[in-house]
Amino acid sequence: MSRQAPLRTVSPPAARDRRRVPRPFRHRSVGLAALGFVLVNGLLMSIGGRHLPFHASSLAEPPTPAAVLDADAMYLEIFGLMALAYLLTRRRAGVDLAARAPARPQARRETLLVLAYGVVAMLGGFMLGRAFGWHAFGFHLDGMVIRTGQRVVPEEMVAWAAYNLLVYAVVPFLVFRRRYSAEQLNLRSRDRRGDLLVILVILAVESTVQLLLNGAILDLKPRQLLLGAPLTFALSFAGTVLPTMVFIFCILTPRYLKLTGSVPATVILGGLTYALLHFFDGWTNFASPVDTLLSVLYLLLFYTGPGMFKTFLTVRTANAWVHVWAYHAIAPHTLIDTPMTVEVFGIRG
């Protein structure tokens, strides 16, 4: 009796193509994000006119295509840093970040409440700044990262840092710390040596990039640098670094992962949340519906990438502090914003 050879199953071409695509890129959220990226670029190019109508010469003076493509180029660095962070953490034991969030119904309620609270906090910052004749308080003070040329006074800078620290960091932390442990809020390291390696490598790369793009801090006199850099660090740490860490990476990130069950979707949602919290940045222009639309579109284009990388670092290390030291407090803020602080406080050489 002859033996029949086992039948070989041949996968359809579409299935073989899907297997060639890395698993994270198969998720629907990645396709939607790519589509959104193309749409944002297309709208900015088509309705932006010859120059974008923003309150910052670095954004308004270049032709619209140049300003848009300059923001697009930033994503090359973002994805490069993601690849580097992945390589640095690939041998680490994975941490189920979603398990640090409550059950899905509770996670959904908390997420919606935190986001609603964030909207109220943003409106409160807008009204408080305007009430004192200052600029609106967003996650960046007017002129931070993107220079606007508008005058900022020392009292404004201190009030901005105090408001954001209290509203976005202290209050949410106290509320959630009553019910959740420091580990559940991503505040404890599972691998201190591994986290330190990630911080040092990413910080070195990002600092080099920032100094190549904007080396104004190197032109400061020794006294200006000695006084201005620590002051910039302290104010930005209180006004944007800790608020970002607590609001997005301690609270929202585990809940995004719990609700979506997807790392790519969580990273994208973290990026979008980070971008929208900068809604009242000083360079934005809300003088007309078209200007408002362009401001929101460029806001999404400019800030979603950095927010995605911060979220990615948190998911890979399960430690919200990693992004603080690797990609926020020192580079970019201290490196970029020290010249502004020196000017605001009138620090002489």
Side-chain angles (χ1 to χ4, degrees):
M1 190 173 175
S2 61
R3 224 183 248 182
Q4 286 186 335
L7 293 175
R8 293 178 62 190
T9 58
V10 180
S11 302
R16 291 199 299 271
D17 290 342
R18 281 197 298 271
R19 283 200 294 268
R20 293 192 190 104
V21 179
R23 185 178 298 175
F25 296 101
R26 297 182 211 162
H27 198 274
R28 182 174 60 179
S29 61
V30 176
L32 291 174
L35 179 62
F37 180 82
V38 173
L39 182 62
V40 167
N41 271 263
L43 288 172
L44 284 168
M45 295 284 197
S46 60
I47 66 176
R50 296 179 62 185
H51 299 274
L52 294 171
F54 300 146
H55 301 303
S57 59
S58 61
L59 302 180
E61 289 180 359
T64 295
V68 174
L69 292 174
D70 188 51
D72 288 343
M74 176 180 57
Y75 284 82
L76 297 176
E77 185 205 0
I78 294 297
F79 292 132
L81 289 173
M82 284 185 178
L84 179 58
Y86 175 81
L87 290 174
L88 293 170
T89 58
R90 70 189 185 280
R91 290 193 175 92
R92 293 173 58 163
V95 177
D96 186 3
L97 211 64
R100 296 179 174 182
R104 285 174 62 89
Q106 181 66 17
R108 185 180 298 108
R109 283 193 295 271
E110 290 179 351
T111 299
L112 293 175
L113 286 172
V114 169
L115 292 175
Y117 172 81
V119 172
V120 174
M122 290 168 62
L123 293 174
F126 175 86
M127 291 186 291
L128 180 63
R130 296 299 189 191
F132 284 91
W134 300 329
H135 305 91
F137 289 171
F139 255 45
H140 282 166
L141 184 63
D142 192 279
M144 292 181 72
V145 177
I146 299 176
R147 298 288 176 263
T148 63
Q150 302 179 66
R151 184 171 180 265
V152 175
V153 297
E155 296 83 1
E156 177 181 359
M157 203 166 188
V158 173
W160 163 80
Y163 177 83
N164 280 10
L165 178 64
L166 175 64
V167 173
Y168 293 104
V170 174
V171 171
F173 175 78
L174 291 177
V175 169
F176 278 83
R177 188 64 179 88
R178 293 175 62 187
R179 300 188 59 181
Y180 300 100
S181 67
E183 184 174 81
Q184 287 175 308
L185 294 175
N186 303 329
L187 291 172
R188 285 185 179 167
S189 174
R190 286 281 190 95
D191 184 350
R192 292 184 179 180
R193 186 173 297 178
D195 288 347
L196 180 60
L197 176 64
V198 173
I199 290 168
L200 292 177
V201 173
I202 299 298
L203 177 60
V205 173
E206 179 61 13
S207 297
T208 301
V209 171
Q210 293 298 336
L211 290 174
L212 288 173
L213 293 176
N214 183 355
I217 189 173
L218 302 177
D219 297 328
L220 296 176
K221 302 291 179 60
R223 183 174 182 273
Q224 293 175 317
L225 192 60
L226 185 63
L227 297 178
L231 184 57
T232 303
F233 176 86
L235 291 172
S236 63
F237 198 82
T240 188
V241 176
L242 280 180
T244 298
M245 185 189 78
V246 173
F247 197 85
I248 301 177
F249 305 120
C250 292
I251 298 172
L252 288 175
T253 298
R255 286 152 183 80
Y256 283 158
L257 191 55
K258 187 78 166 189
L259 295 174
T260 63
S262 162
V263 169
T266 299
V267 169
I268 292 165
L269 286 173
L272 291 173
T273 305
Y274 181 75
L276 292 174
L277 285 167
H278 292 79
F279 188 82
F280 290 120
D281 265 23
W283 56 266
T284 53
N285 183 358
F286 305 119
S288 72
V290 173
D291 292 345
T292 300
L293 176 61
L294 290 170
S295 294
V296 172
L297 291 172
Y298 199 84
L299 191 83
L300 292 172
L301 183 66
F302 190 82
Y303 284 120
T304 299
M308 287 170 55
F309 181 57
K310 290 174 171 66
T311 310
F312 183 79
L313 282 176
T314 304
V315 172
R316 291 296 302 177
T317 63
N319 183 358
W321 287 105
V322 170
H323 106 273
V324 167
W325 307 115
Y327 190 78
H328 209 178
I330 299 170
H333 278 295
T334 301
L335 294 180
I336 291 180
D337 294 327
T338 295
M340 173 187 169
T341 305
V342 167
E343 181 181 350
V344 169
F345 285 87
I347 301 174
R348 297 181 180 179

